[in-house]
């Protein structure tokens, strides 16, 4: 993958570019709220290779 490919992926609305903390900050909510939404299956965050939740736009 080239650097251009990586940058183009950031334009993809479905690309999981945001950590839980960043997504919570952007939405002006808490990480616990995002976890609760996931537990209720209202949203389905993807997981990084290390198992961390990742969010798309």
């Amino acid at each position: 993958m080239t650097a251009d490919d990586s940058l183009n992926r950031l334009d993809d609305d479905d690309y999981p570019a945001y950590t839980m903390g960043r997504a919570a900050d952007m939405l002006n909510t808490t990480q616990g709220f995002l976890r609760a939404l996931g537990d209720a299956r209202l949203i389905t965050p993807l997981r990084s290779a290390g198992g961390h939740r990742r969010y798309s736009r």
Side-chain angles (χ1 to χ4, degrees), residues 17-49:
Y18 303 104
T19 63
M20 176 183 279
R22 181 65 183 127
D25 287 345
M26 291 168 63
L27 296 170
N28 198 29
T29 191
T30 65
Q31 294 178 23
F33 180 73
L34 291 179
R35 266 189 228 99
L37 290 177
D39 291 344
R41 298 191 179 174
L42 297 172
I43 60 172
T44 306
L46 294 176
R47 298 279 181 155
S48 69

PDB file of all heavy atoms in Angstrom, residues 17-49:
ATOM      1  N   ALA A  17     -11.270   5.018  11.138  1.00  0.00           N
ATOM      2  CA  ALA A  17     -10.083   5.828  11.385  1.00  0.00           C
ATOM      3  C   ALA A  17      -9.982   6.355  12.813  1.00  0.00           C
ATOM      4  O   ALA A  17      -8.934   6.841  13.204  1.00  0.00           O
ATOM      5  CB  ALA A  17     -10.066   7.005  10.417  1.00  0.00           C
ATOM      6  N   TYR A  18     -11.067   6.269  13.590  1.00  0.00           N
ATOM      7  CA  TYR A  18     -11.100   6.945  14.885  1.00  0.00           C
ATOM      8  C   TYR A  18     -11.086   5.962  16.055  1.00  0.00           C
ATOM      9  O   TYR A  18     -11.803   4.979  16.062  1.00  0.00           O
ATOM     10  CB  TYR A  18     -12.348   7.832  14.989  1.00  0.00           C
ATOM     11  CG  TYR A  18     -12.415   8.835  13.876  1.00  0.00           C
ATOM     12  CD1 TYR A  18     -13.282   8.658  12.802  1.00  0.00           C
ATOM     13  CD2 TYR A  18     -11.583   9.945  13.873  1.00  0.00           C
ATOM     14  CE1 TYR A  18     -13.321   9.571  11.759  1.00  0.00           C
ATOM     15  CE2 TYR A  18     -11.617  10.863  12.841  1.00  0.00           C
ATOM     16  CZ  TYR A  18     -12.490  10.670  11.783  1.00  0.00           C
ATOM     17  OH  TYR A  18     -12.522  11.562  10.758  1.00  0.00           O
ATOM     18  N   THR A  19     -10.282   6.284  17.055  1.00  0.00           N
ATOM     19  CA  THR A  19     -10.280   5.511  18.291  1.00  0.00           C
ATOM     20  C   THR A  19     -11.553   5.830  19.072  1.00  0.00           C
ATOM     21  O   THR A  19     -12.255   6.819  18.781  1.00  0.00           O
ATOM     22  CB  THR A  19      -9.077   5.883  19.164  1.00  0.00           C
ATOM     23  OG1 THR A  19      -9.194   7.256  19.533  1.00  0.00           O
ATOM     24  CG2 THR A  19      -7.759   5.625  18.448  1.00  0.00           C
ATOM     25  N   MET A  20     -11.818   5.036  20.085  1.00  0.00           N
ATOM     26  CA  MET A  20     -12.995   5.290  20.910  1.00  0.00           C
ATOM     27  C   MET A  20     -12.921   6.671  21.558  1.00  0.00           C
ATOM     28  O   MET A  20     -13.912   7.412  21.570  1.00  0.00           O
ATOM     29  CB  MET A  20     -13.146   4.228  21.988  1.00  0.00           C
ATOM     30  CG  MET A  20     -14.305   4.518  22.918  1.00  0.00           C
ATOM     31  SD  MET A  20     -14.467   3.343  24.228  1.00  0.00           S
ATOM     32  CE  MET A  20     -15.322   2.059  23.348  1.00  0.00           C
ATOM     33  N   GLY A  21     -11.775   7.031  22.076  1.00  0.00           N
ATOM     34  CA  GLY A  21     -11.623   8.331  22.724  1.00  0.00           C
ATOM     35  C   GLY A  21     -11.867   9.480  21.774  1.00  0.00           C
ATOM     36  O   GLY A  21     -12.544  10.456  22.116  1.00  0.00           O
ATOM     37  N   ARG A  22     -11.314   9.381  20.578  1.00  0.00           N
ATOM     38  CA  ARG A  22     -11.494  10.452  19.580  1.00  0.00           C
ATOM     39  C   ARG A  22     -12.945  10.523  19.131  1.00  0.00           C
ATOM     40  O   ARG A  22     -13.501  11.620  18.998  1.00  0.00           O
ATOM     41  CB  ARG A  22     -10.561  10.210  18.386  1.00  0.00           C
ATOM     42  CG  ARG A  22     -10.654  11.270  17.339  1.00  0.00           C
ATOM     43  CD  ARG A  22     -10.161  12.623  17.867  1.00  0.00           C
ATOM     44  NE  ARG A  22     -10.353  13.610  16.837  1.00  0.00           N
ATOM     45  CZ  ARG A  22     -11.005  14.757  17.017  1.00  0.00           C
ATOM     46  NH1 ARG A  22     -11.453  15.085  18.201  1.00  0.00           N
ATOM     47  NH2 ARG A  22     -11.171  15.583  16.024  1.00  0.00           N
ATOM     48  N   ALA A  23     -13.574   9.383  18.904  1.00  0.00           N
ATOM     49  CA  ALA A  23     -14.982   9.369  18.491  1.00  0.00           C
ATOM     50  C   ALA A  23     -15.857   9.979  19.584  1.00  0.00           C
ATOM     51  O   ALA A  23     -16.760  10.778  19.290  1.00  0.00           O
ATOM     52  CB  ALA A  23     -15.431   7.948  18.171  1.00  0.00           C
ATOM     53  N   ALA A  24     -15.599   9.641  20.837  1.00  0.00           N
ATOM     54  CA  ALA A  24     -16.372  10.214  21.942  1.00  0.00           C
ATOM     55  C   ALA A  24     -16.190  11.727  22.001  1.00  0.00           C
ATOM     56  O   ALA A  24     -17.163  12.465  22.191  1.00  0.00           O
ATOM     57  CB  ALA A  24     -15.961   9.563  23.261  1.00  0.00           C
ATOM     58  N   ASP A  25     -14.961  12.200  21.827  1.00  0.00           N
ATOM     59  CA  ASP A  25     -14.702  13.646  21.810  1.00  0.00           C
ATOM     60  C   ASP A  25     -15.456  14.335  20.680  1.00  0.00           C
ATOM     61  O   ASP A  25     -16.057  15.387  20.878  1.00  0.00           O
ATOM     62  CB  ASP A  25     -13.210  13.939  21.658  1.00  0.00           C
ATOM     63  CG  ASP A  25     -12.408  13.646  22.912  1.00  0.00           C
ATOM     64  OD1 ASP A  25     -13.014  13.489  23.997  1.00  0.00           O
ATOM     65  OD2 ASP A  25     -11.171  13.558  22.796  1.00  0.00           O
ATOM     66  N   MET A  26     -15.425  13.730  19.501  1.00  0.00           N
ATOM     67  CA  MET A  26     -16.081  14.324  18.334  1.00  0.00           C
ATOM     68  C   MET A  26     -17.600  14.411  18.530  1.00  0.00           C
ATOM     69  O   MET A  26     -18.237  15.337  18.034  1.00  0.00           O
ATOM     70  CB  MET A  26     -15.765  13.512  17.072  1.00  0.00           C
ATOM     71  CG  MET A  26     -14.323  13.622  16.632  1.00  0.00           C
ATOM     72  SD  MET A  26     -13.863  12.435  15.370  1.00  0.00           S
ATOM     73  CE  MET A  26     -14.902  12.914  14.016  1.00  0.00           C
ATOM     74  N   LEU A  27     -18.154  13.437  19.244  1.00  0.00           N
ATOM     75  CA  LEU A  27     -19.602  13.393  19.469  1.00  0.00           C
ATOM     76  C   LEU A  27     -20.019  14.062  20.775  1.00  0.00           C
ATOM     77  O   LEU A  27     -21.200  14.101  21.108  1.00  0.00           O
ATOM     78  CB  LEU A  27     -20.076  11.935  19.469  1.00  0.00           C
ATOM     79  CG  LEU A  27     -19.899  11.202  18.150  1.00  0.00           C
ATOM     80  CD1 LEU A  27     -20.155   9.718  18.332  1.00  0.00           C
ATOM     81  CD2 LEU A  27     -20.824  11.796  17.095  1.00  0.00           C
ATOM     82  N   ASN A  28     -19.011  14.569  21.506  1.00  0.00           N
ATOM     83  CA  ASN A  28     -19.271  15.223  22.789  1.00  0.00           C
ATOM     84  C   ASN A  28     -20.035  14.295  23.736  1.00  0.00           C
ATOM     85  O   ASN A  28     -21.042  14.672  24.327  1.00  0.00           O
ATOM     86  CB  ASN A  28     -20.010  16.548  22.589  1.00  0.00           C
ATOM     87  CG  ASN A  28     -19.909  17.424  23.811  1.00  0.00           C
ATOM     88  OD1 ASN A  28     -18.934  17.355  24.549  1.00  0.00           O
ATOM     89  ND2 ASN A  28     -20.919  18.244  24.028  1.00  0.00           N
ATOM     90  N   THR A  29     -19.550  13.060  23.834  1.00  0.00           N
ATOM     91  CA  THR A  29     -20.145  12.062  24.717  1.00  0.00           C
ATOM     92  C   THR A  29     -19.029  11.316  25.438  1.00  0.00           C
ATOM     93  O   THR A  29     -17.875  11.709  25.354  1.00  0.00           O
ATOM     94  CB  THR A  29     -21.059  11.110  23.919  1.00  0.00           C
ATOM     95  OG1 THR A  29     -21.807  10.317  24.827  1.00  0.00           O
ATOM     96  CG2 THR A  29     -20.289  10.236  22.963  1.00  0.00           C
ATOM     97  N   THR A  30     -19.370  10.268  26.143  1.00  0.00           N
ATOM     98  CA  THR A  30     -18.362   9.505  26.870  1.00  0.00           C
ATOM     99  C   THR A  30     -18.048   8.188  26.161  1.00  0.00           C
ATOM    100  O   THR A  30     -18.851   7.694  25.366  1.00  0.00           O
ATOM    101  CB  THR A  30     -18.842   9.182  28.296  1.00  0.00           C
ATOM    102  OG1 THR A  30     -19.973   8.305  28.215  1.00  0.00           O
ATOM    103  CG2 THR A  30     -19.195  10.449  29.057  1.00  0.00           C
ATOM    104  N   GLN A  31     -16.906   7.641  26.493  1.00  0.00           N
ATOM    105  CA  GLN A  31     -16.530   6.341  25.950  1.00  0.00           C
ATOM    106  C   GLN A  31     -17.494   5.269  26.449  1.00  0.00           C
ATOM    107  O   GLN A  31     -17.834   4.343  25.714  1.00  0.00           O
ATOM    108  CB  GLN A  31     -15.097   6.004  26.330  1.00  0.00           C
ATOM    109  CG  GLN A  31     -14.098   6.941  25.683  1.00  0.00           C
ATOM    110  CD  GLN A  31     -12.679   6.630  26.092  1.00  0.00           C
ATOM    111  OE1 GLN A  31     -12.356   5.525  26.500  1.00  0.00           O
ATOM    112  NE2 GLN A  31     -11.812   7.617  25.972  1.00  0.00           N
ATOM    113  N   GLY A  32     -17.954   5.399  27.673  1.00  0.00           N
ATOM    114  CA  GLY A  32     -18.920   4.453  28.225  1.00  0.00           C
ATOM    115  C   GLY A  32     -20.215   4.428  27.432  1.00  0.00           C
ATOM    116  O   GLY A  32     -20.822   3.363  27.244  1.00  0.00           O
ATOM    117  N   PHE A  33     -20.642   5.600  26.971  1.00  0.00           N
ATOM    118  CA  PHE A  33     -21.856   5.663  26.153  1.00  0.00           C
ATOM    119  C   PHE A  33     -21.658   4.913  24.839  1.00  0.00           C
ATOM    120  O   PHE A  33     -22.539   4.158  24.415  1.00  0.00           O
ATOM    121  CB  PHE A  33     -22.240   7.123  25.900  1.00  0.00           C
ATOM    122  CG  PHE A  33     -23.478   7.287  25.071  1.00  0.00           C
ATOM    123  CD1 PHE A  33     -24.722   7.007  25.609  1.00  0.00           C
ATOM    124  CD2 PHE A  33     -23.396   7.723  23.759  1.00  0.00           C
ATOM    125  CE1 PHE A  33     -25.878   7.152  24.841  1.00  0.00           C
ATOM    126  CE2 PHE A  33     -24.540   7.878  22.989  1.00  0.00           C
ATOM    127  CZ  PHE A  33     -25.786   7.588  23.532  1.00  0.00           C
ATOM    128  N   LEU A  34     -20.495   5.096  24.219  1.00  0.00           N
ATOM    129  CA  LEU A  34     -20.223   4.370  22.974  1.00  0.00           C
ATOM    130  C   LEU A  34     -20.176   2.862  23.220  1.00  0.00           C
ATOM    131  O   LEU A  34     -20.674   2.077  22.415  1.00  0.00           O
ATOM    132  CB  LEU A  34     -18.912   4.843  22.352  1.00  0.00           C
ATOM    133  CG  LEU A  34     -18.898   6.263  21.794  1.00  0.00           C
ATOM    134  CD1 LEU A  34     -17.523   6.595  21.242  1.00  0.00           C
ATOM    135  CD2 LEU A  34     -19.964   6.443  20.739  1.00  0.00           C
ATOM    136  N   ARG A  35     -19.577   2.456  24.352  1.00  0.00           N
ATOM    137  CA  ARG A  35     -19.557   1.031  24.701  1.00  0.00           C
ATOM    138  C   ARG A  35     -20.978   0.496  24.870  1.00  0.00           C
ATOM    139  O   ARG A  35     -21.304  -0.591  24.401  1.00  0.00           O
ATOM    140  CB  ARG A  35     -18.788   0.816  26.004  1.00  0.00           C
ATOM    141  CG  ARG A  35     -17.364   0.491  25.810  1.00  0.00           C
ATOM    142  CD  ARG A  35     -16.714   0.087  27.129  1.00  0.00           C
ATOM    143  NE  ARG A  35     -15.481   0.831  27.234  1.00  0.00           N
ATOM    144  CZ  ARG A  35     -15.280   1.935  27.919  1.00  0.00           C
ATOM    145  NH1 ARG A  35     -16.224   2.435  28.671  1.00  0.00           N
ATOM    146  NH2 ARG A  35     -14.124   2.536  27.901  1.00  0.00           N
ATOM    147  N   ALA A  36     -21.832   1.275  25.531  1.00  0.00           N
ATOM    148  CA  ALA A  36     -23.222   0.862  25.756  1.00  0.00           C
ATOM    149  C   ALA A  36     -23.976   0.732  24.434  1.00  0.00           C
ATOM    150  O   ALA A  36     -24.767  -0.201  24.258  1.00  0.00           O
ATOM    151  CB  ALA A  36     -23.926   1.848  26.682  1.00  0.00           C
ATOM    152  N   LEU A  37     -23.739   1.641  23.509  1.00  0.00           N
ATOM    153  CA  LEU A  37     -24.375   1.536  22.190  1.00  0.00           C
ATOM    154  C   LEU A  37     -23.942   0.261  21.481  1.00  0.00           C
ATOM    155  O   LEU A  37     -24.750  -0.412  20.844  1.00  0.00           O
ATOM    156  CB  LEU A  37     -24.027   2.747  21.320  1.00  0.00           C
ATOM    157  CG  LEU A  37     -24.641   4.083  21.709  1.00  0.00           C
ATOM    158  CD1 LEU A  37     -24.119   5.182  20.790  1.00  0.00           C
ATOM    159  CD2 LEU A  37     -26.144   4.026  21.682  1.00  0.00           C
ATOM    160  N   GLY A  38     -22.663  -0.076  21.609  1.00  0.00           N
ATOM    161  CA  GLY A  38     -22.167  -1.310  21.015  1.00  0.00           C
ATOM    162  C   GLY A  38     -22.754  -2.540  21.682  1.00  0.00           C
ATOM    163  O   GLY A  38     -23.151  -3.498  21.015  1.00  0.00           O
ATOM    164  N   ASP A  39     -22.842  -2.519  23.018  1.00  0.00           N
ATOM    165  CA  ASP A  39     -23.423  -3.648  23.748  1.00  0.00           C
ATOM    166  C   ASP A  39     -24.885  -3.862  23.381  1.00  0.00           C
ATOM    167  O   ASP A  39     -25.360  -5.001  23.325  1.00  0.00           O
ATOM    168  CB  ASP A  39     -23.300  -3.435  25.260  1.00  0.00           C
ATOM    169  CG  ASP A  39     -21.869  -3.514  25.757  1.00  0.00           C
ATOM    170  OD1 ASP A  39     -20.999  -4.027  25.009  1.00  0.00           O
ATOM    171  OD2 ASP A  39     -21.622  -3.058  26.893  1.00  0.00           O
ATOM    172  N   ALA A  40     -25.599  -2.761  23.118  1.00  0.00           N
ATOM    173  CA  ALA A  40     -27.010  -2.841  22.717  1.00  0.00           C
ATOM    174  C   ALA A  40     -27.154  -3.134  21.224  1.00  0.00           C
ATOM    175  O   ALA A  40     -28.270  -3.242  20.719  1.00  0.00           O
ATOM    176  CB  ALA A  40     -27.721  -1.537  23.067  1.00  0.00           C
ATOM    177  N   ARG A  41     -26.030  -3.239  20.534  1.00  0.00           N
ATOM    178  CA  ARG A  41     -25.990  -3.512  19.096  1.00  0.00           C
ATOM    179  C   ARG A  41     -26.689  -2.447  18.253  1.00  0.00           C
ATOM    180  O   ARG A  41     -27.247  -2.735  17.203  1.00  0.00           O
ATOM    181  CB  ARG A  41     -26.527  -4.899  18.792  1.00  0.00           C
ATOM    182  CG  ARG A  41     -25.660  -5.947  19.454  1.00  0.00           C
ATOM    183  CD  ARG A  41     -25.950  -7.301  19.022  1.00  0.00           C
ATOM    184  NE  ARG A  41     -25.007  -8.170  19.744  1.00  0.00           N
ATOM    185  CZ  ARG A  41     -25.039  -9.446  19.697  1.00  0.00           C
ATOM    186  NH1 ARG A  41     -25.935 -10.055  18.979  1.00  0.00           N
ATOM    187  NH2 ARG A  41     -24.167 -10.160  20.367  1.00  0.00           N
ATOM    188  N   LEU A  42     -26.636  -1.225  18.746  1.00  0.00           N
ATOM    189  CA  LEU A  42     -27.148  -0.103  17.967  1.00  0.00           C
ATOM    190  C   LEU A  42     -26.100   0.386  16.980  1.00  0.00           C
ATOM    191  O   LEU A  42     -26.439   0.986  15.957  1.00  0.00           O
ATOM    192  CB  LEU A  42     -27.586   1.028  18.891  1.00  0.00           C
ATOM    193  CG  LEU A  42     -28.740   0.659  19.833  1.00  0.00           C
ATOM    194  CD1 LEU A  42     -28.974   1.771  20.844  1.00  0.00           C
ATOM    195  CD2 LEU A  42     -30.000   0.384  19.031  1.00  0.00           C
ATOM    196  N   ILE A  43     -24.835   0.157  17.325  1.00  0.00           N
ATOM    197  CA  ILE A  43     -23.716   0.406  16.418  1.00  0.00           C
ATOM    198  C   ILE A  43     -22.779  -0.792  16.529  1.00  0.00           C
ATOM    199  O   ILE A  43     -22.807  -1.518  17.519  1.00  0.00           O
ATOM    200  CB  ILE A  43     -22.957   1.713  16.750  1.00  0.00           C
ATOM    201  CG1 ILE A  43     -22.379   1.662  18.167  1.00  0.00           C
ATOM    202  CG2 ILE A  43     -23.842   2.926  16.552  1.00  0.00           C
ATOM    203  CD1 ILE A  43     -21.465   2.830  18.493  1.00  0.00           C
ATOM    204  N   THR A  44     -21.974  -0.986  15.508  1.00  0.00           N
ATOM    205  CA  THR A  44     -21.018  -2.091  15.519  1.00  0.00           C
ATOM    206  C   THR A  44     -19.652  -1.559  15.126  1.00  0.00           C
ATOM    207  O   THR A  44     -19.327  -1.496  13.935  1.00  0.00           O
ATOM    208  CB  THR A  44     -21.454  -3.199  14.539  1.00  0.00           C
ATOM    209  OG1 THR A  44     -22.787  -3.584  14.840  1.00  0.00           O
ATOM    210  CG2 THR A  44     -20.540  -4.406  14.646  1.00  0.00           C
ATOM    211  N   PRO A  45     -18.855  -1.164  16.109  1.00  0.00           N
ATOM    212  CA  PRO A  45     -17.520  -0.682  15.768  1.00  0.00           C
ATOM    213  C   PRO A  45     -16.640  -1.832  15.290  1.00  0.00           C
ATOM    214  O   PRO A  45     -16.812  -2.972  15.724  1.00  0.00           O
ATOM    215  CB  PRO A  45     -17.001  -0.114  17.092  1.00  0.00           C
ATOM    216  CG  PRO A  45     -17.774  -0.813  18.149  1.00  0.00           C
ATOM    217  CD  PRO A  45     -19.105  -1.130  17.547  1.00  0.00           C
ATOM    218  N   LEU A  46     -15.737  -1.526  14.407  1.00  0.00           N
ATOM    219  CA  LEU A  46     -14.767  -2.533  13.978  1.00  0.00           C
ATOM    220  C   LEU A  46     -13.700  -2.633  15.053  1.00  0.00           C
ATOM    221  O   LEU A  46     -13.652  -1.828  15.979  1.00  0.00           O
ATOM    222  CB  LEU A  46     -14.168  -2.143  12.632  1.00  0.00           C
ATOM    223  CG  LEU A  46     -15.152  -2.147  11.464  1.00  0.00           C
ATOM    224  CD1 LEU A  46     -14.467  -1.658  10.205  1.00  0.00           C
ATOM    225  CD2 LEU A  46     -15.723  -3.538  11.253  1.00  0.00           C
ATOM    226  N   ARG A  47     -12.852  -3.615  14.947  1.00  0.00           N
ATOM    227  CA  ARG A  47     -11.785  -3.812  15.925  1.00  0.00           C
ATOM    228  C   ARG A  47     -10.440  -3.760  15.226  1.00  0.00           C
ATOM    229  O   ARG A  47     -10.278  -4.255  14.119  1.00  0.00           O
ATOM    230  CB  ARG A  47     -11.928  -5.170  16.621  1.00  0.00           C
ATOM    231  CG  ARG A  47     -13.213  -5.337  17.412  1.00  0.00           C
ATOM    232  CD  ARG A  47     -13.098  -4.683  18.748  1.00  0.00           C
ATOM    233  NE  ARG A  47     -14.321  -4.847  19.521  1.00  0.00           N
ATOM    234  CZ  ARG A  47     -14.358  -4.819  20.819  1.00  0.00           C
ATOM    235  NH1 ARG A  47     -13.249  -4.647  21.514  1.00  0.00           N
ATOM    236  NH2 ARG A  47     -15.493  -4.938  21.456  1.00  0.00           N
ATOM    237  N   SER A  48      -9.477  -3.167  15.900  1.00  0.00           N
ATOM    238  CA  SER A  48      -8.107  -3.150  15.391  1.00  0.00           C
ATOM    239  C   SER A  48      -7.503  -4.531  15.590  1.00  0.00           C
ATOM    240  O   SER A  48      -8.100  -5.398  16.243  1.00  0.00           O
ATOM    241  CB  SER A  48      -7.277  -2.103  16.139  1.00  0.00           C
ATOM    242  OG  SER A  48      -7.086  -2.518  17.487  1.00  0.00           O
ATOM    243  N   ALA A  49      -6.317  -4.736  15.056  1.00  0.00           N
ATOM    244  CA  ALA A  49      -5.632  -6.019  15.228  1.00  0.00           C
ATOM    245  C   ALA A  49      -5.414  -6.323  16.706  1.00  0.00           C
ATOM    246  O   ALA A  49      -5.416  -7.485  17.117  1.00  0.00           O
ATOM    247  CB  ALA A  49      -4.298  -6.002  14.491  1.00  0.00           C
TER     248      ALA A  49
END
